[in-house]
Amino acid sequence: MVPKDLLMKMFYYLRLTREAESRIERVLYRQGKIVGGVYVGRGQEAIGVGSAIQLRPDDVVAPSHRDMSVFLIRGIPLKQIMAQYMGRKTGVTGGKDGNMHMGDIRRHVIAFPSHMADTVPVAAGCALAFKRRGEDRVAVCYFGDGATSRADWHEGLNFAAVQRLPIVYICNNNQYAYSTPLWRQMAVPNVADRAINYGIPGEIVDGNDVLAVYEATARAVERARRGEGPTLLECKTFRMTGHSAHDDAFYVPKELFEEWAKKDPIARLSEYLTARGIATEAELRDVEARVLREVDEAIAWAEQSPYPDPEECLEGVYAPPA
Amino acid sequence: MPVLTYLEAIRQGLWEEMERDERVFLLGEDIGVYGGAFKVTEGFLERFGEERVIDTPISEAAIVGAAIGAALVGLRPVAEMQFIDFISIAFDQLTNFAAKCRYRWGAGVPIVVRGPCGGGVHGGPFHSQNVEAYFFHTPGLKIVEPATPYDAKGLIKAAIRDEDPVLYFEHKYLYRRIRGEVPEGDYIVPIGKADIKRLGRDVTILTYGWMLHKSLEAAEIVAQEGIEVEVVDLRTLLPLDDETILSSVAKTGRAVIVHEDTRTGGIAGEIAMRINERIFEYLEAPVVRVTAPDTPIPFSPPLEEFFLPQVEEIVQAVRWVANY
Ligand SMILES: Cc1ncc(C[n+]2csc(CCOP(=O)(O)OP(=O)(O)O)c2C)c(N)n1
Ligand SMILES: [Mg+2]
């Protein structure tokens, strides 16, 4: 049984992620306050929350572009994330990069380049270093279904498998890559089916059930820490938005949205909590109130933050002289 | 004559080539049902069908590799990179396979790889790059980058008809911002030919892409001061049109090279060297370049603006060589 405080923490992060991204996508972006594009993980929040919440602070995570919850769980302050989306100096990358293109090496969060699947071999390299130094740390690498079409993905998995590295690969299979449906992306029905090529376990998980993600990740992480090598988890889910804020997803059949709305991961957890008497409605409302307050504060802070000075463009290409 | 946007001109050129030649087909990510991330190929799937408008997996190496294969056996593929930044994934296929086939074993690879390049839209380090210099160094490739709707249409047609691999870079900032007259029906703009977009006798600006428009603005400003700038739009970056470049610079004796790409290893260095080697005695001033600094292209507006060459910088460079 997952203890109540952990369940409540999951609920908090699910709600925080949803609220933060909804504000970014549906309010701030429309108000013209966001710089550049916006990609959110609405409906997919359970994947990041259920997995990242159990990791140790010294484990490495390599989130992809729909894994806001992973950044939050790793302790990157929401206000700095908001500032990042607004191109401010106080943002996670100081304005050098935007939106979820961010990382924090002190918190062991690897920033992804846009190029899908580039992090897959890189995360394997982190795991290689852990193994070589005899540390029981793991790397957790996230990506979408479409990313698994890239050579770097296949090379990375094969490398990790051959070296039996302590790594967990987590796919959010939201059934689309931009406008491209899964069946045009791959000729196997499941991303997990790809694992057999590399001689590692591949497991299909209900990606809209935070507890299922939690448990599957726990098994894979234990395996990795025991030195038994990588696992590929395929979390089945659905992208409840367009690819980005400017995409109305005309190519997605409406029925699919309706069907998946019923499987909303947040509604599922709150039902679980109340139906079993683990938490009261009032307790959940308190979490909601806290989330709203925190998001409001973060946005206000970000909006008051300065933009970087133009000359900062020139800084940080190389290490400062010793 | 009809007035089209830069984007519409590319689309029209592609469309006419698809109609003209059965062998021409398109492949890329989200180009069919969605019509492309920037909608360049909107309507193509409906008109030409799935056999000729292929939505691919996210596999740039396979997109370009498959294009090469199809070209080797008689088709005319046009591959789209959703953003040109992703062409890095196909680097090996382009620089080792496509570029060296003819030289090694006499097999031509008539492919076009096209996609949106350039900054100005706060796309950040991976949706804004100019990648020409990576490929400029590779004999066997051709590189074009139109700046006007007329050239965009004429160059896409020339690229498709070319017997060798052509990289066709379209500047995303120009897509819907630049309009111009485009003849209906067939014409080509030859690869390897620069174009003088403004005549002048005092200073030559050599440029391409978005920077053509900034250079024309700069030329307008210094004209008020009596400096007559000749603006050469390179259009083709590989092979460079030495004749047009050198004759213009020999005439004016002063050259400013402007590119949006970063400085070190950018093509301005090569152009300056050719001027130096061939027409040094004609020069009245050192050759000067205006480029982006040697950093990745940053995301935040003030940083990106600092990074991108601005009209004022071009004006100052022109004044400097004019008064040297
Ligand atoms: C190598 C590469 N090609 C193209 C793109 C443009 N692009 C950005 S997201 C995306 C779709 C990604 O699909 P998927 O991996 O399923 O992730 P999702 O967005 O569905 O979470 C594409 C094609 C990219 N980022 N990287
Ligand atoms: Mg997907």
Side-chain angles (χ1 to χ4, degrees):
Chain A
M1 253 308 281
V2 182
K4 175 174 176 182
D5 58 340
L6 186 54
L7 288 168
M8 291 303 285
K9 206 170 146 192
M10 289 185 192
F11 183 72
Y12 163 73
Y13 276 114
L14 287 171
R15 277 297 299 130
L16 184 65
T17 303
R18 174 77 54 92
E19 186 63 28
E21 288 196 327
S22 295
R23 279 308 175 88
I24 289 168
E25 186 198 28
R26 297 183 168 179
V27 181
L28 299 168
Y29 180 79
R30 291 176 192 174
Q31 291 173 345
K33 291 179 178 168
I34 298 293
V35 180
V38 166
Y39 315 78
V40 298
R42 184 174 302 109
Q44 310 181 187
E45 297 92 340
I47 299 165
V49 172
S51 54
I53 203 135
Q54 60 190 292
L55 299 177
R56 295 194 328 224
D58 63 342
D59 291 332
V60 157
V61 290
S64 189
H65 57 296
R66 300 195 200 277
D67 301 314
M68 173 73 92
S69 62
V70 178
F71 295 101
L72 293 169
I73 290 170
R74 293 311 285 241
I76 297 183
L78 180 59
K79 59 184 185 178
Q80 272 188 270
I81 295 177
M82 288 295 178
Q84 162 89 356
Y85 276 77
M86 297 181 195
R88 306 302 168 107
K89 184 185 171 92
T90 52
V92 185
T93 64
K96 294 283 179 58
D97 209 337
N99 47 53
M100 63 296 150
H101 294 89
M102 56 185 166
D104 184 342
I105 200 66
R106 287 157 312 170
R107 292 186 170 97
H108 309 295
V109 180
I110 309 271
F112 85 116
S114 293
H115 299 49
M116 295 291 130
D118 273 13
T119 51
V120 172
V122 171
C126 298
L128 182 76
F130 300 158
K131 188 180 166 196
R132 180 177 142 194
R133 291 194 298 239
E135 298 165 354
D136 67 344
R137 298 161 72 185
V138 301
V140 178
C141 179
Y142 298 84
F143 43 81
D145 43 291
T148 72
S149 298
R150 279 227 31 230
D152 285 28
W153 189 86
H154 292 268
E155 293 179 21
L157 253 77
N158 187 52
F159 185 97
V162 168
Q163 300 281 341
R164 284 173 79 85
L165 299 178
I167 185 160
V168 181
Y169 285 114
I170 300 186
C171 176
N172 85 69
N173 179 355
N174 61 11
Q175 308 185 44
Y176 279 87
Y178 208 147
S179 73
T180 306
L182 199 66
W183 62 273
R184 273 194 196 282
Q185 196 71 231
M186 59 192 74
V188 289
N190 306 298
V191 171
D193 297 345
R194 295 191 186 288
I196 196 165
N197 292 303
Y198 305 109
I200 64 170
E203 192 182 329
I204 294 173
V205 183
D206 178 349
N208 283 31
D209 178 351
V210 72
L211 293 173
V213 175
Y214 179 83
E215 279 154 21
T217 309
R219 286 191 299 273
V221 167
E222 274 165 38
R223 247 192 107 239
R225 287 204 213 281
R226 282 199 306 266
E228 291 170 26
T231 304
L232 170 62
L233 300 179
E234 174 188 9
C235 301
K236 303 260 194 202
T237 185
F238 199 72
R239 194 188 72 199
M240 296 299 288
T241 59
H243 170 65
S244 60
H246 69 262
D247 170 17
D248 66 4
F250 68 87
Y251 48 83
V252 178
K254 296 281 160 297
E255 309 78 65
L256 281 177
F257 284 125
E258 286 160 20
E259 183 192 323
W260 281 88
K262 294 183 199 131
K263 304 181 194 169
D264 182 73
I266 302 182
R268 270 165 86 173
L269 182 63
S270 61
E271 232 170 81
Y272 175 93
L273 292 172
T274 50
R276 298 190 173 218
I278 300 170
T280 62
E281 300 274 358
E283 280 174 296
L284 299 188
R285 272 199 304 277
D286 283 350
V287 175
E288 301 274 345
R290 177 182 159 202
V291 161
L292 292 181
R293 195 175 61 242
E294 288 178 0
V295 173
D296 284 341
E297 283 169 10
I299 292 171
W301 185 86
E303 284 193 276
Q304 281 163 22
S305 284
Y307 286 98
D309 294 328
E311 296 75 25
E312 288 173 40
C313 170
L314 300 174
E315 294 169 9
V317 179
Y318 299 104
Chain B
M1 213 185 286
V3 171
L4 301 185
T5 63
Y6 179 86
L7 184 146
E8 288 162 347
I10 299 166
R11 178 190 293 145
Q12 192 175 87
L14 279 171
W15 186 280
E16 288 178 13
E17 288 303 288
M18 299 271 290
E19 293 210 308
R20 184 188 62 81
D21 185 347
E22 273 280 291
R23 298 172 305 166
V24 179
F25 75 101
L26 312 180
L27 70 170
E29 294 151 18
D30 307 291
I31 64 167
V33 174
Y34 197 70
F38 289 89
K39 305 286 179 192
V40 173
T41 54
E42 193 160 42
F44 280 59
L45 179 66
E46 292 73 12
R47 167 66 184 82
F48 299 105
E50 286 189 1
E51 299 276 300
R52 294 180 70 198
V53 184
I54 302 175
D55 273 324
T56 69
I58 303 178
S59 305
E60 285 76 8
I63 292 169
V64 173
I68 294 169
L72 283 170
V73 296
L75 294 182
R76 292 273 165 166
V78 181
E80 176 175 299
M81 300 287 105
Q82 196 160 85
F83 285 80
I84 209 65
D85 310 64
F86 303 129
I87 201 172
S88 55
I89 294 161
F91 190 79
D92 179 55
Q93 290 289 342
L94 284 165
T95 59
N96 284 318
F97 213 122
K100 296 176 177 52
C101 273
R102 181 178 299 286
Y103 184 74
R104 291 165 55 231
W105 53 296
V109 179
I111 62 169
V112 178
V113 178
R114 47 162 288 272
C117 70
V121 301
H122 318 316
F126 306 109
H127 291 78
S128 313
Q129 292 178 81
N130 291 290
V131 297
E132 55 270 26
Y134 296 120
F135 300 100
F136 185 64
H137 189 61
T138 303
L141 298 178
K142 297 183 178 181
I143 306 173
V144 300
E145 183 169 334
T148 65
Y150 179 92
D151 290 342
K153 178 175 171 184
L155 276 171
I156 191 71
K157 284 171 167 267
I160 289 170
R161 295 178 202 184
D162 201 276
E163 296 301 331
D164 289 310
V166 180
L167 308 183
Y168 181 99
F169 299 147
E170 33 202 72
H171 202 296
K172 68 177 78 68
Y173 187 85
L174 305 182
Y175 270 151
R176 294 166 203 281
R177 287 183 178 87
I178 294 293
R179 302 172 159 276
E181 292 193 337
V182 176
E184 266 170 298
D186 201 37
Y187 70 94
I188 67 154
V189 168
I191 292 178
K193 281 267 162 274
D195 185 41
I196 297 174
K197 290 287 194 305
R198 179 185 174 111
L199 277 167
R201 57 189 147 67
D202 301 325
V203 176
T204 298
I205 294 180
L206 303 156
T207 189
Y208 55 96
W210 181 16
M211 293 303 123
L212 170 73
H213 301 280
K214 293 206 171 189
S215 297
L216 288 170
E217 267 183 67
E220 200 59 44
I221 292 169
V222 294
Q224 319 286 312
E225 306 160 14
I227 305 172
E228 289 302 329
V229 178
E230 180 145 299
V231 181
V232 176
D233 177 6
L234 298 172
R235 301 195 296 196
T236 297
L237 309 181
L238 188 64
L240 284 168
D241 178 0
D242 285 340
E243 201 181 303
T244 307
I245 294 169
L246 298 174
S247 64
S248 175
V249 177
K251 179 177 80 175
T252 61
R254 296 176 159 91
V256 175
I257 309 164
V258 183
H259 61 60
E260 185 183 325
D261 191 9
T262 52
R263 201 166 184 84
T264 302
I267 74 169
E270 175 62 26
I271 295 173
M273 195 61 199
R274 290 186 191 200
I275 293 169
N276 178 56
E277 284 167 341
R278 305 268 298 275
I279 54 166
F280 181 74
E281 314 76 47
Y282 291 82
L283 290 180
E284 309 281 351
V287 177
V288 163
R289 59 183 161 171
V290 178
T291 70
D294 287 328
T295 75
I297 175 165
F299 168 79
S300 179
L303 301 181
E304 188 184 23
E305 190 170 312
F306 180 90
F307 174 90
L308 294 167
Q310 302 296 336
V311 173
E312 186 49 34
E313 294 169 62
I314 305 172
V315 165
Q316 280 174 16
V318 169
R319 282 187 193 134
W320 190 83
V321 294
N323 297 322
Y324 184 81

